[in-house]
Amino acid sequence: MQEKLLMIPGPSPVHPRIIHALSLPTISHVAPEIVDEMKEALANLKKVVFCERGEAFIISGSGTLAMEMALLNTVKAGERILVLSQGFFGERMLKIARCFGIEVEILESRWGRAVLPKEVKDRVSRGKYAAVVSTHVDTATGACAPVRQYAELFRDETIFILDGVCATGGIEEKMDEWGVDVILSAAQKCFGAPPGLALLVLSERAMEKRKSMGPIPAYYGDLLNWLPVMKDPSKYFSTPCVNEIRAFTEATRIVLEEGLEKRFHRHSQTAQAIRTALSALGLSLFTEEPFLADTLSVVKYPEGIEDELFRREFAARGVIVAGGLGETKGTVFRMGHMGNISQSQVYFALEALEATLSSLEYEFHKGAALEAAKSILESKAKN
Ligand code: PMP
């Protein structure tokens, strides 16, 4: 089978160094090598979210487990939270909260936008919340929320939980400085590791809240059961996926070797290059301009291009993109550009996009996409 370039909004392409780490023989989950790697991964994860104090957790599971654990460990049944929702994953937070008897209010934006800080200010001045929860980048809509501005509005009053699944490691998230109490994330997007790990970083305040709550309706999901293992990974609570942890450790090394500022800048340049290319082809975005996320683009189909056929033809030319989720299904495709995606992979994807559109008899100026992307990536590289 010929390998295809995975440009869905996660999992993102896995770098050969990470694949190599994943493929090493499975070792004991308490072997000294894995203990050291886990310690390194936890320390690196805290660096990525600019957290000096607080606790990091790396647990087998996915982003949804991290969402559930973030809520369960900081909010009790009967307490009230405010969910700031740009769409699909805010709605998921609401459903999770309801499963555990948490009272939820939701402040929603239209899809393609994010809730505005002034709306948040108004709402938090009227209600008292045990936590405010926001998605950083909604993977269905491509919208990035102004989370730093949100945090300023309630940083001393309530716990702020940030869903960074489609942002952490690709877009800046400064936990201590901004006053974020919980960042939840997953391995498979901006870290570029394979799926399989739920990631959480909790501030000291969030940890104190957990400790003050007494028993919670979870066992695997109770961070207090995991805390001793995170402090000393030679201890046992539940068998960790050692191969995946080695892969993730390598992924965090790649992130830090690149340098966080450079990595965030690269994500922003790549997004800009892809968008300039899409626009040169006459394609337009679903997401409204001020909310565009650096990690994915949600692209509207022009008239006459049919979703499934387009994605099949694109895949036949070596590139996999995702269809729309929820209310956008059939009307957009979603292209991820996060993690360790390289300039040559971006060029390959744009050439394949042009070839796909040509095969579907869509009219555009041939070569326009590549030329537009190069004008961004190569002129900036020279500076
Ligand atoms: N939050 C966001 C913003 C996401 O993009 C996703 C996954 N696409 C999730 C949560 C859930 O993560 P997972 O699919 O790993 O459970």
Side-chain angles (χ1 to χ4, degrees):
M1 192 186 82
Q2 213 200 331
E3 202 194 325
K4 306 220 188 274
L5 177 59
L6 201 54
M7 287 196 69
I8 58 175
S12 52
V14 182
H15 190 282
R17 270 177 62 184
I18 302 173
I19 294 280
H20 173 71
L22 186 71
S23 71
L24 295 171
T26 300
I27 53 176
S28 157
H29 56 287
V30 290
E33 298 96 304
I34 197 71
V35 170
D36 287 347
E37 293 219 20
M38 184 70 167
K39 282 184 186 162
E40 186 183 343
L42 289 163
N44 289 353
L45 176 59
K46 283 173 67 173
K47 285 184 193 153
V48 171
V49 296
F50 299 86
C51 174
E52 279 193 18
R53 298 169 299 277
E55 295 289 345
F57 296 84
I58 298 174
I59 293 164
S60 310
S62 71
T64 305
L65 176 70
M67 292 170 84
E68 187 164 306
M69 288 177 73
L71 275 184
L72 267 173
N73 284 277
T74 54
V75 186
K76 285 192 286 203
E79 285 185 323
R80 180 179 301 275
I81 64 166
L82 177 64
V83 173
L84 309 175
S85 174
Q86 297 110 293
F88 195 87
F89 289 98
E91 284 161 25
R92 175 167 294 187
M93 228 3 147
L94 176 87
K95 289 180 192 155
I96 296 173
R98 285 194 177 140
C99 285
F100 295 104
I102 294 167
E103 302 280 321
V104 201
E105 282 178 28
I106 187 159
L107 189 52
E108 293 170 279
S109 66
R110 237 190 14 247
W111 277 42
R113 296 175 57 84
V115 178
L116 299 175
K118 64 174 176 347
E119 301 170 87
V120 179
K121 187 172 180 194
D122 187 45
R123 184 65 79 94
V124 292
S125 68
R126 285 189 279 125
K128 182 128 187 65
Y129 302 101
V132 178
V133 186
S134 175
T135 316
H136 196 167
V137 170
D138 193 292
T139 321
T141 70
C144 183
V147 293
R148 181 181 191 171
Q149 285 164 272
Y150 293 166
E152 276 167 20
L153 301 170
F154 44 74
R155 67 174 293 163
D156 297 323
E157 283 141 45
T158 182
I159 285 189
F160 184 24
I161 302 175
L162 185 60
D163 173 349
V165 173
C166 196
T168 311
I171 300 178
E172 187 176 67
E173 294 180 328
K174 291 195 161 168
M175 254 186 104
D176 292 350
E177 190 184 317
W178 299 356
V180 180
D181 294 286
V182 182
I183 288 188
L184 67 99
S185 199
Q188 74 269 21
K189 298 203 190 227
C190 300
F191 287 100
L197 289 175
L199 312 171
L200 289 141
V201 185
L202 274 80
S203 68
E204 285 174 315
R205 177 164 76 162
M207 286 307 297
E208 274 162 30
K209 174 75 193 275
R210 168 65 199 98
K211 287 175 187 161
S212 73
M213 287 165 68
I216 60 166
Y219 181 70
Y220 185 83
D222 185 351
L223 289 177
L224 291 188
N225 284 332
W226 288 101
L227 189 59
V229 184
M230 300 299 143
K231 292 214 179 283
D232 174 4
S234 69
K235 293 207 166 109
Y236 167 74
F237 169 57
S238 164
T239 310
C241 41
V242 287
N243 298 66
E244 172 70 25
I245 286 168
R246 290 186 122 175
F248 179 68
T249 311
E250 188 66 8
T252 62
R253 286 181 192 129
I254 292 175
V255 172
L256 297 177
E257 278 165 25
E258 181 174 10
L260 289 169
E261 292 311 321
K262 272 200 177 152
R263 191 171 176 91
F264 301 146
H265 182 68
R266 178 174 57 76
H267 276 77
S268 138
Q269 289 303 112
T270 305
Q272 207 191 320
I274 288 179
R275 278 165 200 157
T276 313
L278 293 168
S279 145
L281 296 176
L283 300 176
S284 52
L285 299 173
F286 173 78
T287 320
E288 291 183 30
E289 175 82 35
F291 304 102
L292 287 170
D294 288 341
T295 45
L296 79 153
S297 294
V298 181
V299 189
K300 288 194 222 162
Y301 283 120
E303 267 210 33
I305 303 277
E306 194 272 319
D307 178 36
E308 283 191 15
L309 177 63
F310 168 82
R311 285 189 288 128
R312 204 165 48 240
E313 290 294 320
F314 207 1
R317 288 164 180 81
V319 180
I320 311 288
V321 289
L325 269 184
E327 66 182 55
T328 62
K329 199 168 169 46
T331 61
V332 300
F333 70 90
R334 294 176 303 137
M335 184 182 244
H337 30 81
M338 63 187 111
N340 297 314
I341 191 122
S342 67
Q343 190 169 302
S344 52
Q345 284 171 321
V346 170
Y347 293 163
F348 174 77
L350 292 174
E351 277 182 316
L353 175 60
E354 285 206 1
T356 304
L357 291 171
S358 285
S359 76
L360 298 172
E361 293 173 3
Y362 174 78
E363 283 181 21
F364 60 95
H365 174 60
K366 296 233 162 55
L370 209 57
E371 197 183 309
K374 283 187 173 167
S375 77
I376 303 289
L377 294 175
E378 295 179 21
S379 77
K380 296 279 168 35
K382 275 188 227 129
N383 298 334

